[in-house]
Amino acid sequence: MKFLSRLFDALIAPRRWVWAALAACLLALSACGGGDPGSGGTGTGPLRYLFTASDVSQGDEPPGASPPVSPTGDINDCYPARLELTGDSVQLDTPCARFTFAGTWALDEDHQAFLTGTAQLLVDGTWVEQPAVLRLIADGPLESAKSIQIALLDPADLHVLAGPITLWP
């Protein structure tokens, strides 16, 4: 109790060091949460989105979209699919393909991104690792996207290695 009494006396006393310490604490706290709750002070919040699809019949394919294909050619080999997006990484996991990207990224004005990273493709029962490009096409800004289409592309000529697959939040 004596500690609380001293603390209270120190806070109400008009000493410069108390006010300086209080101002420093307020400045530090405002840097941690100056925007939206959980934002880290930037007002944009931590970027983390998760898109999934359990099977080819989960939802409607956009008009003109072809069904997803795996490196083996079987549509159902690529489900379930899970895409996790953060501000500095992208991770795709499916039974036929995996992809990782590390680094900052963003969708362009057409709501697309082409990310060069490492893919693992299941070919004839063996996981084969190779460079790949993940093409992301969202149906709007990422924070309000209702679906996102992904495809793994060969970086040399951009032919499709796996996909396209449409995922939903």
Side-chain angles (χ1 to χ4, degrees), residues 36-118:
D36 295 332
S39 70
T42 63
T44 60
L47 174 67
R48 183 175 183 279
Y49 299 100
L50 184 63
F51 290 84
T52 61
S54 55
D55 59 48
V56 76
S57 64
Q58 181 179 355
D60 296 329
E61 290 290 321
S66 58
V69 295
S70 75
T72 62
D74 184 351
I75 291 172
N76 293 312
D77 282 351
C78 279
Y79 289 99
R82 180 180 188 277
L83 177 68
E84 183 172 350
L85 308 169
T86 67
D88 58 2
S89 69
V90 174
Q91 175 121 11
L92 171 68
D93 284 309
T94 76
C96 73
R98 300 177 191 141
F99 176 84
T100 55
F101 170 83
T104 57
W105 66 277
L107 296 178
D108 65 15
E109 62 277 354
D110 295 324
H111 312 295
Q112 298 183 45
F114 291 83
L115 307 173
T116 301
T118 303

